[in-house]
Amino acid sequence: MLPFLCITALAAFASSLALMLAGAASPAAAAHIAFAAGILPLIFGAMMHFVPVLTRSGAPATTMGRLPLVLLAAGLLAAAAFLQPAWFNPLIHAGASLALLAALAMAAWIVRRGRAALGAPHPGLRWYLAAVACLALALASVLAMPALPSQHAALRLVHLHLNTLGFVGLTALGTLAVLLPTAAGKPDPTAAGWLKRQLPLALAGVLLIAGGVAWWPPAAYLGALLLFVPVALLGTAWMARFPGEILRLHGAATSLALALAGLLVLLSFAVLHAQRRLAGGDAILGFLLAFLLPLVTGAVSQLLPVWLRPGVQSGWHHAARERLGRFAVLRGLTFVVAGWLVASGWRPGAWLAVVGLAVFVAQALPVAARR
């Protein structure tokens, strides 16, 4: 399942980039292809992998394990809505309704796993639950738009920020705190404490940004500051503990660290968006390029070998990670710089991301073929 979701996510990213550069679709259409049909199903699949680890429990039941496919179907409906304007309302509401049901099912499953855990569950579990709650609120805002036409624009902004900074951002931060030390090959004894202490700040920041951009910009400024604190603390902790690992030319840790750097700068763009000095379409595409692409390629570099060959780690896993992480710093920089350029309004900068994504696909194909 997870290798398939990786393929669909990369295909969605590539399609989104192609449509954006060709001018064949609106920024909203390109963003929904990448997010709804690509990253959201992949995140659900990754949660299915990590939640049993965080709760020291078994694999999900077969029915629950198919939930990412439900979200993929919902994402395809949402993407189709933007590509077929005549059918926009029925398609977008069908997709949002289906995704909301999937989000509620995921939240209930996380809660059940947490309660049934042997001992206290890992604090990263709460980050996943908060992220899924943000997703549910984002989807509910879409379904509320017809009933509140005067708030349509505001609800759209709530939907946008709860999806990106809420669902994607909180999931990513909760995972990165554990995944980067794993990729670096060194334990981080402070990761659990950071996860416990920083979730309230991060969640409050996300909610204030979403509400502030929609209704009262000063709240968005405070939210950006609150969210900046845990992100900056995580980054400085990494620089202190893993300088050699995150500054090297190769390796998944480098790509993951670059994703965090991309997010730090993009938080300032959230403030500009709240001031209406930055186009929303450019900001969302910048988020996709500067944060999601280095994040996904870094995570896949570390995890794809395990997903392809579960079980005891062997020389093949080590060789696969080496291939996937080769020149990660150069590849990651193309994504981050491309995202900053696009977020600033220069969309041809996305060609840098095309180069980086093509390199990663070329690295990943031999690994998948030799599984």
Side-chain angles (χ1 to χ4, degrees):
M1 173 72 76
L2 280 165
F4 167 74
L5 294 174
C6 289
I7 293 170
T8 58
L10 291 174
F13 286 143
S15 300
S16 178
L17 281 170
L19 289 171
M20 177 176 60
L21 289 169
S26 67
H32 278 81
I33 290 170
F35 281 96
I39 192 64
L40 299 190
L42 179 60
I43 287 178
F44 264 46
M47 284 183 175
M48 294 288 181
H49 172 81
F50 284 117
V51 167
V53 176
L54 299 176
T55 56
R56 296 174 291 279
S57 57
T62 302
T63 303
M64 191 66 194
R66 292 174 180 158
L67 199 60
L69 298 179
V70 175
L71 201 60
L72 176 59
L76 291 173
L77 287 171
F82 286 91
L83 299 175
Q84 297 292 330
W87 292 85
F88 181 83
N89 284 332
L91 287 172
I92 201 70
H93 292 131
S97 298
L98 189 59
L100 179 57
L101 291 175
L104 294 175
M106 174 63 85
W109 181 69
I110 291 174
V111 170
R112 287 198 305 271
R113 284 299 178 105
R115 289 176 176 172
L118 296 173
H122 191 279
L125 190 71
R126 293 185 177 181
W127 285 76
Y128 285 176
L129 185 58
V132 174
C134 286
L135 175 62
L137 289 173
L139 295 166
S141 68
V142 173
L143 298 175
M145 288 177 186
L148 300 168
S150 64
Q151 296 297 315
H152 185 278
L155 290 172
R156 183 180 60 82
L157 291 171
V158 169
H159 170 77
L160 168 65
H161 290 86
L162 287 180
N163 262 333
T164 53
L165 297 177
F167 177 62
V168 178
L170 293 180
T171 301
L173 290 172
T175 303
L176 282 172
V178 177
L179 184 59
L180 186 135
T182 302
K186 294 181 180 179
D188 183 358
T190 66
W194 180 90
L195 288 166
K196 288 179 181 178
R197 292 189 301 271
Q198 302 305 323
L199 178 58
L201 273 181
L203 181 57
V206 167
L207 295 175
L208 284 170
I209 290 173
V213 169
W215 291 293
W216 193 51
Y221 309 152
L222 176 59
L225 179 61
L226 291 179
L227 186 54
F228 180 86
V229 170
V231 176
L233 288 175
L234 185 61
T236 54
W238 286 352
M239 285 298 298
R241 292 184 181 88
F242 315 112
E245 288 74 18
I246 65 177
L247 296 176
R248 65 175 53 158
L249 183 61
H250 312 289
T254 301
S255 187
L256 297 173
L258 280 169
L260 194 74
L263 179 60
L264 274 171
V265 175
L266 288 171
L267 285 176
S268 65
F269 290 168
V271 173
L272 295 176
H273 186 210
Q275 296 174 338
R276 305 298 191 266
R277 294 167 60 186
L278 186 70
D282 292 338
I284 189 65
L285 293 173
F287 181 87
L288 162 67
L289 301 179
F291 179 54
L292 278 183
L293 278 178
L295 173 70
V296 170
T297 54
V300 169
S301 297
Q302 179 66 23
L303 297 170
L304 183 60
V306 177
W307 294 340
L308 289 172
R309 287 191 186 180
V312 178
Q313 300 293 285
S314 65
W316 179 88
H317 293 87
H318 179 72
R321 287 195 181 97
E322 280 195 342
R323 175 180 284 274
L324 291 167
R326 195 165 296 156
F327 298 110
V329 68
L330 300 178
R331 188 181 68 213
L333 283 172
T334 65
F335 297 144
V336 172
V337 173
W340 293 347
L341 290 173
V342 170
S344 300
W346 195 60
R347 291 193 182 175
W351 282 107
L352 282 172
V354 172
V355 173
L357 187 59
V359 169
F360 181 73
V361 170
Q363 292 170 318
L365 286 175
V367 172
R370 296 171 187 170
R371 59 174 297 185

